[in-house]
Amino acid sequence: EDVRHQLMAGRVLIELNAMKPLDRRTPEEVQQAIETMFKAWDRYRSGVMTRWGAAAIEHEPPLADVVMKGAAFSDLREYAGRIGSYLIGPMTARVAIPERNLQAITSLRNQIEQTWQLLAPARPGSSFHDKALEVQRVYLTSGLQLIDEEIENGRLNGQFSRDAATFTGEYVRLMQPLTELRNGYLEHLRLKHEEQIRDSTIDLLVDGALAIVLLALVPMFLAIIRLRILRPLLRGVADVIALAEGRKPGTRAKDHPIAEIAALFAAIRILEDRLTERARLTREFEKLSQTDSLTGLLNRRGFETEAHAVAGEGPACLIIGDIDHFKEVNDRHGHPAGDRVLVGVASILRRTAGASCRIGRIGGEEFAVLCPGLGVEEATRLAEEIRLSVANQDFPLTETTSLTVSLSLGVASSIFAGSWTEQVRQADAALYRAKSEGRNCVRVVVGGSAISTAA
């Protein structure tokens, strides 16, 4: 329960940061959110893993090696993740890396090296030797080189070579062998456990057969034991294994004459319900992480995810629009009025663009529309329709007053761009051209050059 509350606290801080424009986020706030999530892991390790491991070792001394190795593999992955997290705050705010972050990174690297010396399988042919070599090659070499490179770039003036999203994607990929090594070890333990279950089941059946022979006078008694106890327990074991593997359990017994076995099936049902609820919440959190909380449109992360998803479906046009003089709206009328304008523009985009287009709010007052299958002329007409709709819309301030705003838009086609990044760059260039040529107009990039349209 303590860990769950800590996770909720961390999630709240993350959402508060996410709702702020990039230029209003501070590295201290970002770092506070990150370290709040760190505390969740620390409390889990202290409150669950450490205490449970100590109790397990006390009652079953042979489990000592299993418990220690399992915790060490998890710690190794955690240390690696924390190293990257200490760069995210400065990287997001584009400021120099604080000295305390550098000291934390150095300490974590020492812990990784010490832990790795204890864990790395040195004997060729051992179960994890090949995966250990991959960890050495990918993470301990390339992953830490990536960390060193960004530290070198950002330790003095915050001039990192990557943004936070790009760095996270690359670094998580380089950490993957650590995850696979940990999961491989846990899978090894699971297989051994299943083997023990099979051996135990066989032994139990053999003992049962011997008991039938030896206790020929009481066959009915043994049959009752088998029917009322053994079979439900085996079904319960199979159900737990099914839940662990993500499958639905086969048993749906609602009651049982033996209270303890009835409690087992009730616990399995509760576990199934909790796992189903967790999966649903995970899907909801994923959706929230890709949605702008004010307008309900895709945020930058969600929009780029959608853009990459449709990249293989053929040519697509990108429209980037920016509300003209939006800062003056906030300064003169207040942020609530600015929010109403943003919501109103989002509504116009939904109504005008249609269901086939992906729409996102990718900045404070910046919107983007991705139109799969549209040519440059069609996308330009759509952009002009959006511009006119916004220009002709009255945005209410009070019951008796309203204001109007205008939109500058840039259009670029994937036909003339070699990559998504280049298409975004071209659309931004067209938008900049529209801004510099008077605003409230549409400009298009064709073949790398911006051209004018109706204003």
Side-chain angles (χ1 to χ4, degrees), residues 111-283:
Q111 289 176 292
I112 287 176
E113 291 174 1
Q114 294 171 5
T115 305
W116 183 248
Q117 289 175 0
L118 296 174
L119 291 178
R123 178 166 51 84
S126 62
S127 302
F128 308 106
H129 182 261
D130 291 342
K131 184 56 65 177
L133 291 178
E134 186 177 356
V135 170
Q136 187 73 43
R137 176 177 58 83
V138 176
Y139 177 73
L140 295 179
T141 301
S142 301
L144 294 181
Q145 284 178 355
L146 176 62
I147 294 295
D148 291 337
E149 178 184 341
E150 290 302 331
I151 289 177
E152 183 65 24
N153 290 332
R155 69 183 307 161
L156 297 178
N157 53 18
Q159 297 299 315
F160 298 92
S161 62
R162 298 167 178 83
D163 60 22
T166 303
F167 169 78
T168 299
E170 292 182 16
Y171 189 64
V172 169
R173 177 177 57 81
L174 295 173
M175 287 195 302
Q176 186 61 28
L178 284 174
T179 303
E180 293 173 355
L181 182 61
R182 178 196 62 190
N183 293 347
Y185 176 74
L186 298 178
E187 177 67 9
H188 170 71
L189 293 180
R190 188 184 69 81
L191 292 175
K192 285 184 63 177
H193 176 64
E194 290 183 352
E195 182 180 356
Q196 291 171 351
I197 290 178
R198 288 193 298 269
D199 292 344
S200 298
T201 302
I202 292 172
D203 291 341
L204 188 58
L205 293 174
V206 170
D207 291 343
L210 292 174
I212 291 174
V213 174
L214 295 174
L215 302 175
L217 298 177
V218 285
M220 186 176 294
F221 175 74
L222 295 179
I224 292 174
I225 291 178
R226 182 185 178 98
L227 179 64
R228 297 294 182 90
I229 298 177
L230 180 59
R231 186 176 298 171
L233 287 177
L234 291 177
R235 287 204 307 268
V237 169
D239 288 348
V240 171
I241 293 175
L243 288 174
E245 294 176 346
R247 297 182 285 108
K248 290 189 69 65
T251 301
R252 297 302 297 173
K254 295 184 178 179
D255 51 34
H256 193 276
I258 299 178
E260 290 77 7
I261 295 179
L264 169 64
F265 287 125
I268 291 174
R269 290 197 301 275
I270 292 173
L271 178 59
E272 180 186 5
D273 293 340
R274 294 291 175 84
L275 290 175
T276 301
E277 176 67 9
R278 185 174 68 176
R280 182 186 67 79
L281 290 175
T282 299
R283 291 192 297 271

Side-chain angles (χ1 to χ4, degrees), residues 283-302:
R283 291 192 297 271
E284 291 182 0
F285 282 138
E286 179 64 23
K287 182 179 179 181
L288 286 174
S289 71
Q290 298 187 6
T291 303
D292 175 49
S293 59
L294 175 63
T295 64
L297 300 177
L298 294 169
N299 60 20
R300 178 177 288 273
R301 175 188 174 194

Side-chain angles (χ1 to χ4, degrees), residues 304-322:
E304 291 184 349
T305 299
E306 286 289 317
H308 290 301
V310 303
E313 298 178 4
C317 278
L318 174 64
I319 303 171
I320 295 182
D322 189 272

Side-chain angles (χ1 to χ4, degrees), residues 2-12 14 36-37 40-41:
D2 188 32
V3 173
R4 186 176 70 84
H5 284 303
Q6 185 64 38
L7 282 171
M8 291 174 63
R11 187 66 192 179
V12 168
I14 289 172
T36 302
M37 301 301 282
W41 168 262

